[in-house]
Amino acid sequence: MTRAIFLAALVSTAPAWAQQVDRDLISGCVPCHGADGIAKFGETPNLAGQNAPYLLNQLRAFHAGKRLHKEMRYMSRHMTEAEMEAIAAYFASLPPR
Ligand code: HEC
């Protein structure tokens, strides 16, 4: 079982924990998208409360190079499908602004 699948399981079964553990997976996102999923810069979108299927589709698109964006391509280049699912579920679970 990969770490990401473990995280995905945590996200769906134990939200309080998941937020703790997920820090690892999302630490690289924080400078731009914020620890709370509220963006730090004008050109960066908020992720908090966005629906999970949309976030997952965007991550897949960046990962595959179908949605073009230099930083996001770089950030997503090594993500597995399970990691993208865990990340999408995590940001979707945060309260929107
Ligand atoms: C260097 C800053 C930066 C970092 C680091 C970064 N992002 Fe992004 N992200 C952006 C910008 C800017 C966009 C908007 C892209 C565009 O204009 O198409 C974006 C877009 C996105 C989107 C699409 C949102 C939407 O509404 O369509 C998702 C999902 C996302 N980022 C997730 C992440 C995740 C997960 C991480 C960490 C693994 C991360 N980002 C790290 C800057 C960043």
Side-chain angles (χ1 to χ4, degrees):
M1 185 161 86
T2 70
R3 186 173 64 103
I5 291 169
F6 179 64
L7 286 176
L10 284 177
V11 167
S12 55
T13 57
W17 263 65
Q19 296 211 358
Q20 204 70 16
V21 178
D22 240 12
R23 295 259 142 96
D24 227 29
L25 210 51
I26 58 121
S27 56
C29 326
V30 168
C32 297
H33 291 285
D36 53 0
I38 305 299
K40 299 291 182 198
F41 308 105
E43 76 274 24
T44 308
N46 296 339
L47 302 179
Q50 182 55 272
N51 74 74
Y54 173 79
L55 291 176
L56 179 57
N57 281 333
Q58 302 319 303
L59 289 173
R60 284 176 176 152
F62 288 127
H63 178 76
K66 286 182 190 154
R67 178 171 170 181
L68 299 179
H69 190 265
K70 208 169 98 191
E71 279 92 1
M72 286 312 306
R73 167 77 172 148
Y74 180 82
M75 291 309 296
S76 61
R77 73 202 186 289
H78 294 314
M79 284 178 189
T80 66
E81 175 69 16
E83 283 171 342
M84 293 192 271
E85 282 172 17
I87 291 167
Y90 173 75
F91 281 112
S93 77
L94 299 178
R97 180 160 64 184

